[in-house]
Amino acid sequence: MKYFLNLGIAAILLFSCAAKVPVATTNPANLKEIVNDPETTIVDVRIPEQFNEKTAKGAVNIPLAKIEDNIDFFKKQKKVVLFCNRGIQAQQALDILKKNGVENVYFGKTLNNVEAIQNEK
């Protein structure tokens, strides 16, 4: 009985603390245009080891932990699309940039999403 009680408590804690990824404010059709625009900078916010393993075409790596150190870089870009593995870090990076006055930034969600957009014909 004690085992099931502990299991139940663990399940409640696990699911109550799960991070939700907000819905993107950019509609999918518009995101396709933005990702494929040659003036857009694609930014992978994952750690360098993950970036070196695989990333989207033309992406640069600025890990989430370094986003605030690169505010001036982001302000100089025409458009920026952020992505990561599951969208959580990309959303956090987007929030940081927006709080620091960067308006030209878009939520690309995941590596798979950005790659799919780049590979569409």
Side-chain angles (χ1 to χ4, degrees), residues 37-94:
D37 184 337
E39 293 188 339
T40 297
T41 304
I42 309 291
V43 179
D44 185 338
V45 300
R46 301 174 305 152
I47 61 174
E49 293 80 8
Q50 292 172 319
F51 175 81
N52 291 333
E53 256 181 50
K54 181 181 180 185
T55 194
K57 288 181 242 169
V60 297
N61 184 220
I62 303 176
L64 176 61
K66 303 281 185 180
I67 293 294
E68 284 190 280
D69 298 338
N70 289 283
I71 299 296
D72 289 336
F73 167 82
F74 286 102
K75 286 184 176 181
K76 292 176 186 174
Q77 306 308 305
K78 294 221 179 209
K79 294 178 226 164
V80 177
V81 173
L82 304 170
F83 72 90
C84 62
N85 284 328
R86 297 184 314 169
I88 296 169
Q89 290 179 320
Q91 183 64 54
Q92 291 172 339
L94 181 97

Side-chain angles (χ1 to χ4, degrees), residues 67-68 71 75 93-103:
I67 293 294
E68 284 190 280
I71 299 296
K75 286 184 176 181
L94 181 97
D95 293 342
I96 291 167
L97 292 170
K98 293 279 186 181
K99 285 178 188 172
N100 282 281
V102 180
E103 296 297 325

Side-chain angles (χ1 to χ4, degrees), residues 14-40:
L14 177 68
F15 292 112
S16 67
C17 295
K20 276 187 158 180
V21 178
V23 176
T25 55
T26 306
N27 72 44
N30 193 20
L31 184 61
K32 291 175 187 177
E33 291 173 20
I34 294 167
V35 167
N36 290 315
D37 184 337
E39 293 188 339
T40 297

